[in-house]
Amino acid sequence: MALSMKRGQALDPESSYIASSQSTRLRTPFSPPTVTLKEIHDAVPKHLLQKNHWKATSYVVRDITFTALLYKFAYSITPLAAGDFGGYITSGWQKALAKAGMWAFYWWFQGLVGAGLFCLGHDAGHTSLYSSNKVNNTVGFLLHSYLLIPYFAWRSTHHAHHKATASMERDENYVPYTRSTYKLPDEKTATKADYAEMFEETPLYTLARLFIMQGFGWWIYLARNTMGSPMYPPGTNHFSPNSPLFKKEQRNDIIISDISIVAMSAILVYLGREFFFWYYLIPYLFVNHWIVMFTFLHHSDPTIPHYRKGEWSFLRGAAATVDRPLLGWMGRFFFHNISHDHVAHHFFLRAPFYNGPEITKAVKKVLGDDYNYDSTPTFYALYRSFTQCLFIEDEGDIIFYKNKDGVALRELKQSVVDEISAKGWDAAEQDKVDQAPKVE
């Protein structure tokens, strides 16, 4: 028996932004969503799911053009400085300041555009740019290879993540560490000193760890599967064709991904040390930062649940994500709606990103208070989640992150969970639609 209860559903689609803000969620004990996947699918006009090949191509061409123009701009910096910027800036310190400002401008925007190229490759991996899988994979492969990303390897584990979002047993990304991971005493016997011994650290050390995650976390994940599923043995990575992350029939694709990274590395070596450091590496570190930031914040928040198999469903997992206006207009423009409309993306994997705002409006009407949004300034949200989302308990079917004091900031309304179960909640029924969601 399917159960559909829309708790406090907001009639005004914009009012959900207020109703589901993080501060409201912290004050509201959690009960899992009971709307059905069919209700969500029925609420979204089908024309919003249709791909426009010309529009998709225009975005790809746009970002490649931005990349080329920014390279051209960067190559003009040194000659401009040598010529006193056309005679307008002649003072030594003013020239140095102007030159530094131009480099900062280049690094910042090339980093944003590079992250946008990642997002387009991400969408190609979901076949949401073009109808042809071959065209999607060709575009995604080329864009990700430019960014030294093993496209087919990433695509495989990313699809597994979408099939099992927020599942403690099957999710592939940002799987929380547990109490036993840290070898903490049982919750009933643990003291403040136990938590302090494990988690207490100076603000400077915290910032250093945050810097490592933001600058190099993407490659640490690819090379070591850090924060990936704990079901895999140590040494699991995205580069070995024999990795347990992949099926036997995927091995040739993994080899192709590896060859593409070697080829791109060879191109960078050919272009020389100066190009690599000034023109490629620094923006590349920004790209890594943005990839880690928006993927981490999509799924790491003290108010968002994780589920074990007794309570998990595709819908509940998809709803356990957070929309954020990351970088405001710049994030929407350069990152192709990846953070502004991430909840909708989890429900409609193959829908084109440029229809994300309209799909989000439709999804919010159905989810009501179960739609999660957080307008917290981007970098504070990152620091907050980094310091508050530390571990979860080894038991429980619906669990929340705990902080350095061993405290979960959001409560579970167990009485409502029991009521939902008694009324016949069933994961298969909740996820039932006319056509099952397809992850490609």
Side-chain angles (χ1 to χ4, degrees):
M1 172 183 173
L3 180 67
S4 176
M5 297 164 48
K6 303 171 189 175
R7 302 189 312 277
Q9 179 173 321
L11 297 178
D12 176 5
E14 293 304 318
S15 67
S16 294
Y17 278 123
I18 300 172
S20 59
S21 67
Q22 203 217 41
S23 60
T24 301
R25 292 195 299 271
L26 286 171
R27 297 193 303 267
T28 308
F30 177 79
S31 51
T34 54
V35 299
T36 67
L37 200 57
K38 186 178 187 305
E39 288 176 290
I40 290 177
H41 277 239
D42 288 347
V44 175
K46 298 301 177 281
H47 74 271
L48 295 177
L49 309 180
Q50 300 302 312
K51 305 174 184 69
N52 183 321
H53 298 170
W54 291 108
K55 184 175 285 190
T57 301
S58 72
Y59 280 106
V60 174
V61 172
R62 185 201 80 175
D63 282 9
I64 292 174
T65 302
F66 281 165
T67 302
L69 290 174
L70 284 165
Y71 275 130
K72 184 177 181 179
F73 170 79
Y75 271 106
S76 73
I77 295 175
T78 299
L80 279 171
D84 293 338
F85 296 95
Y88 290 101
I89 304 177
T90 58
S91 173
W93 71 268
Q94 291 177 337
K95 284 175 59 177
L97 185 62
K99 187 175 181 180
M102 293 178 73
W103 277 116
F105 175 90
Y106 168 73
W107 292 330
W108 173 262
F109 282 101
Q110 193 71 289
L112 291 177
V113 174
L117 292 174
F118 166 83
C119 294
L120 290 175
H122 159 273
D123 289 347
H126 283 299
T127 68
S128 64
L129 292 184
Y130 302 97
S131 298
S132 166
N133 283 354
K134 289 184 179 179
V135 175
N136 278 301
N137 284 333
T138 299
V139 171
F141 174 75
L142 291 174
L143 294 179
H144 278 197
S145 295
Y146 164 71
L147 298 171
L148 297 174
I149 295 171
Y151 171 76
F152 291 109
W154 160 84
R155 184 176 183 269
S156 174
T157 56
H158 188 66
H159 288 174
H161 157 67
H162 272 279
K163 290 177 181 178
T165 306
S167 165
M168 285 301 299
E169 293 86 6
R170 299 190 298 117
D171 200 352
E172 293 275 356
N173 301 135
Y174 294 111
V175 180
Y177 293 128
T178 63
R179 177 178 291 272
S180 60
T181 303
Y182 290 112
K183 297 182 172 56
L184 288 165
D186 181 84
E187 183 180 12
K188 295 179 181 178
T189 61
T191 65
K192 288 185 178 180
D194 293 320
Y195 295 119
E197 182 180 358
M198 178 58 62
F199 300 119
E200 202 67 45
E201 57 191 30
T202 66
L204 186 61
Y205 183 69
T206 299
L207 289 173
R209 291 197 305 113
L210 185 57
F211 174 79
I212 291 172
M213 182 180 87
Q214 291 308 116
F216 309 100
W218 174 238
W219 268 86
I220 293 172
Y221 163 68
L222 292 175
R224 301 181 58 184
N225 202 41
T226 300
M227 292 300 291
S229 175
M231 75 175 92
Y232 301 115
T236 297
N237 64 74
H238 284 71
F239 303 103
S240 170
N242 296 315
S243 171
L245 293 169
F246 313 121
K247 299 175 183 177
K248 185 176 180 180
E249 59 269 23
Q250 294 175 312
R251 290 177 182 172
N252 287 339
D253 287 340
I254 307 309
I255 293 172
I256 292 172
S257 291
D258 292 345
I259 292 173
S260 73
I261 292 178
V262 172
M264 184 62 198
S265 299
I267 292 172
L268 292 172
V269 170
Y270 173 78
L271 292 173
R273 190 178 305 171
E274 180 182 352
F275 176 88
F276 174 70
F277 181 81
W278 289 95
Y279 299 89
Y280 187 87
L281 178 60
I282 297 177
Y284 183 76
L285 292 177
F286 275 107
V287 172
N288 287 351
H289 157 73
W290 295 124
I291 292 173
V292 173
M293 175 177 269
F294 52 62
T295 55
F296 177 69
L297 289 178
H298 290 159
H299 304 290
S300 302
D301 187 281
T303 67
I304 303 302
H306 281 77
Y307 298 90
R308 291 194 169 93
K309 60 183 178 181
E311 291 288 349
W312 183 88
S313 69
F314 176 88
L315 183 142
R316 289 180 174 181
T321 57
V322 187
D323 279 353
R324 301 177 188 271
L326 192 149
L327 288 187
W329 72 267
M330 281 194 290
R332 188 176 281 285
F333 181 83
F334 288 107
F335 300 160
H336 305 294
N337 300 333
I338 200 167
S339 283
H340 288 71
D341 303 302
H342 195 70
V343 174
H345 169 61
H346 269 266
F347 283 109
F348 298 93
L349 300 170
R350 305 179 73 188
F353 69 87
Y354 42 81
N355 290 337
E358 292 301 313
I359 295 173
T360 294
K361 290 179 183 178
V363 169
K364 285 195 298 180
K365 287 182 181 179
V366 180
L367 285 179
D369 292 347
D370 293 318
Y371 168 75
N372 300 310
Y373 176 84
D374 185 14
S375 60
T376 302
T378 301
F379 288 92
Y380 176 68
L382 174 66
Y383 181 81
R384 183 181 62 194
S385 287
F386 186 76
T387 55
Q388 292 182 353
C389 300
L390 298 181
F391 73 98
I392 62 168
E393 295 296 339
D394 292 280
E395 296 83 28
D397 287 338
I398 304 177
I399 56 271
F400 291 89
Y401 272 114
K402 292 192 169 182
N403 61 20
K404 63 183 179 64
D405 298 316
V407 176
L409 299 184
R410 193 173 189 189
E411 297 178 359
L412 175 66
K413 198 165 187 178
Q414 189 61 52
S415 61
V416 174
V417 177
D418 294 340
E419 179 185 350
I420 291 171
S421 179
K423 288 184 177 180
W425 177 82
D426 178 79
E429 285 295 315
Q430 186 174 38
D431 292 340
K432 196 174 186 180
V433 289
D434 294 333
Q435 183 176 356
K438 188 177 181 182
V439 180
E440 290 190 6

